[in-house]
Amino acid sequence: MIQTGFFIGVKNYIEETGLGDIHQKVLAGERLSLADGLKLYQSSDILAVGWLANLVRERINGNNAYFIYNQHINYSNICTNLCKFCAFGRPKDDDLAYEMSIAEVKDKVRQRLAEPIVEIHMVGGIHPDLPFSYYIELLRGIKEVRPEVHIQAFTCVEIAHLAGLCGKPVGKTLEILREAGLDSLPGGGAEVFSNRIRERTCGDKLPGKEWLAVAQTAHRHGFRTNATMLYGHIETFEERLEHLDALRLAQDETGGFLAFIPLAFHPKNTELAMLSSTTGIDDLKNIAVARLMLDNFAHIKAYWVMIGPKLAQIALSFGADDLDGTVKEEVITHMAGAETAQAIGSETLIKLIAEAGRVPVERTTLYDVIEVHDSAARVAS
Ligand code: V47
């Protein structure tokens, strides 16, 4: 009885916020339109938007909240794209430019052999003159030191560049990279697909349509990939929604996206340093709207590096089901002024999840369960 009263109360409340029609669609499992997405972004009631996102989050992932024990490696920041929103990429002659040798990368992996790392997340800039063989050696070198690790490496932008270096189509290039040790692709480089935004912020970067084509080719060749959206700079709500819709349509076709990660723009040390950082409400709304629009994505990550562990914890009730991972050495966001730590312990991730009332599930890259930390969940409740 009490429960029914509670749900009638919530239904009336959501109707009062003007989101009643979206509530009906969510309950019926119907796909939301771009107009619905706009209404959600424009709503000033974050609790109502979050409630709706949480319905979908719990329908897909129950009470689980995932994390992974991973290590980030950024092999080089030398980049020819030099996007306006990026503080990481540098021209080759810049004082802060760097490029790791294969031996250095292997050392980084070796130094952490005692830790239960299951994934190495590796991305870099679009380097003007590293040969294709460097990337092959990079993958082989990591697998030599840590044969069981899953290598999630090279954004779709890097893959297109590597295909150019290798002189073969993207699919064939991916097969060669798989032979050398590549297991899956991270979601970076998507930014905002809109041509208007790309022209103004990253004119030299792979166009949005081609980013999607590389991701879909990867899916067709049996790779799983992630997807991101860099929000909070000069894009409109409509452009965010077009981006989400393009991902949703691509996922309908190939089904290979594992997770979506909204990336909060950090302005410091970038050419867009005059812009403000994102707010907590916008961060939560992006997670919630993504959860509601991307009905065919199993996972939405609240990447603690970008929005901070405290907000990421709250996001677990606003549509997110994953905090990403231990990370170990984050460079891209920290170059742009992130004040979060460079790494987080798995015990901290477990505590954050358990205190949020969720069950901490330690996972592999492909979301196979390594351990359910349900005793932590009991202690917290
Ligand atoms: O591609 C660049 C973005 C991305 C800034 O796949 C910036 O699981 C904020 O893609 N402020 C790299 N963001 C990070 C990334 C990622 C991170 C965690 C997990 C996964 C995954 C992917 O960071 C870049 C770019 O889109 N970025 N500059 C900046 N100033």
Side-chain angles (χ1 to χ4, degrees):
M1 254 330 253
I2 293 166
Q3 261 206 345
T4 313
F6 176 72
F7 282 107
I8 290 172
V10 169
K11 184 169 178 281
N12 292 341
Y13 175 71
I14 295 207
E15 247 154 47
E16 275 170 31
T17 66
L19 300 174
D21 48 342
I22 299 182
H23 191 195
Q24 290 311 314
K25 283 192 182 179
V26 169
L27 291 175
E30 267 177 52
R31 177 158 283 193
L32 301 188
S33 65
L34 295 187
D36 293 330
L38 192 57
K39 227 171 164 182
L40 290 163
Y41 269 129
Q42 286 171 339
S43 168
S44 54
D45 198 318
I46 189 63
L47 289 180
V49 174
W51 169 272
L52 295 174
N54 193 50
L55 288 176
V56 179
R57 182 247 189 264
E58 291 189 356
R59 187 186 296 148
I60 298 177
N61 289 295
N63 209 23
N64 289 348
Y66 297 90
F67 71 97
I68 187 164
Y69 208 116
N70 63 352
Q71 174 179 10
H72 278 212
I73 296 179
N74 299 109
Y75 57 89
S76 171
N77 65 351
I78 297 173
C79 189
T80 52
N81 280 348
L82 301 177
C83 307
K84 290 202 167 103
F85 50 74
C86 183
F88 169 72
R90 301 277 157 166
K92 204 176 169 184
D93 57 3
D94 189 282
D95 288 347
L96 292 176
Y98 74 85
E99 172 186 313
M100 291 181 196
S101 66
I102 307 297
E104 276 174 278
V105 172
K106 284 170 81 173
D107 261 359
K108 280 201 173 290
V109 178
R110 203 172 289 115
Q111 278 158 21
R112 297 198 180 274
L113 275 178
E115 296 177 54
I117 289 165
V118 293
E119 171 191 277
I120 290 183
H121 174 117
M122 182 172 66
V123 295
I126 299 303
H127 197 289
D129 44 34
L130 280 175
F132 188 63
S133 57
Y134 171 87
Y135 301 89
I136 296 293
E137 290 311 314
L138 207 51
L139 295 167
R140 283 202 185 125
I142 292 172
K143 285 280 163 92
E144 251 170 58
V145 179
R146 196 154 202 160
E148 303 305 326
V149 85
H150 179 111
I151 305 184
Q152 180 166 77
F154 309 137
T155 65
C156 291
V157 180
E158 287 167 283
I159 295 292
H161 171 66
L162 295 188
L165 285 182
C166 160
K168 299 213 160 41
V170 167
K172 180 68 193 157
T173 307
L174 283 164
E175 294 294 338
I176 296 170
L177 294 168
R178 192 203 316 268
E179 270 295 302
L182 182 68
D183 294 301
S184 67
L185 271 53
E191 323 310 356
V192 179
F193 293 142
S194 143
N195 291 335
R196 186 188 80 90
I197 295 296
R198 274 181 135 71
E199 275 163 23
R200 283 172 174 68
T201 63
C202 55
D204 292 335
K205 189 164 229 161
L206 189 73
K209 272 204 166 74
E210 290 177 38
W211 186 99
L212 281 164
V214 172
Q216 289 194 295
T217 303
H219 300 167
R220 291 190 177 104
H221 283 259
F223 283 95
R224 306 303 300 271
T225 76
N226 286 337
T228 56
M229 175 174 73
L230 178 67
Y231 67 92
H233 43 97
I234 59 163
E235 83 291 356
T236 62
F237 288 152
E238 286 82 354
E239 284 161 340
R240 290 183 192 177
L241 288 161
E242 280 164 26
H243 184 96
L244 295 177
D245 192 44
L247 286 173
R248 186 166 73 173
L249 292 173
Q251 180 77 327
D252 279 344
E253 283 174 18
T254 50
F257 289 114
L258 274 171
F260 175 74
I261 310 106
L263 302 174
F265 173 56
H266 283 57
K268 211 168 161 186
N269 304 324
T270 73
E271 283 188 54
L272 302 178
M274 73 300 265
L275 299 179
S276 321
S277 302
T278 61
T279 64
I281 293 293
D282 201 21
D283 293 337
L284 282 183
K285 227 182 239 180
N286 268 288
I287 284 170
V289 174
R291 180 59 289 166
L292 286 159
M293 296 301 292
L294 297 177
D295 49 19
N296 51 7
F297 275 61
H299 303 286
I300 306 290
K301 284 191 199 177
Y303 184 38
W304 64 266
V305 170
M306 296 236 173
I307 60 171
K310 291 184 183 184
L311 192 61
Q313 183 186 40
I314 306 292
L316 295 175
S317 300
F318 285 76
D321 62 279
D322 191 320
L323 293 185
D324 193 75
T326 50
V327 175
K328 293 295 167 199
E329 201 180 324
E330 207 286 330
V331 184
I332 298 177
T333 329
H334 285 88
M335 296 277 262
E339 287 168 9
T340 45
Q342 289 208 331
I344 201 166
S346 52
E347 28 347 290
T348 307
L349 290 170
I350 291 168
K351 186 167 187 277
L352 287 169
I353 293 171
E355 280 188 6
R358 303 296 189 187
V359 177
V361 180
E362 191 166 356
R363 64 167 175 87
T364 65
T365 307
L366 303 179
Y367 287 84
D368 291 323
V369 174
I370 294 175
E371 189 174 348
V372 179
H373 296 269
D374 44 3
S375 56
R378 276 198 299 276
V379 170
S381 65

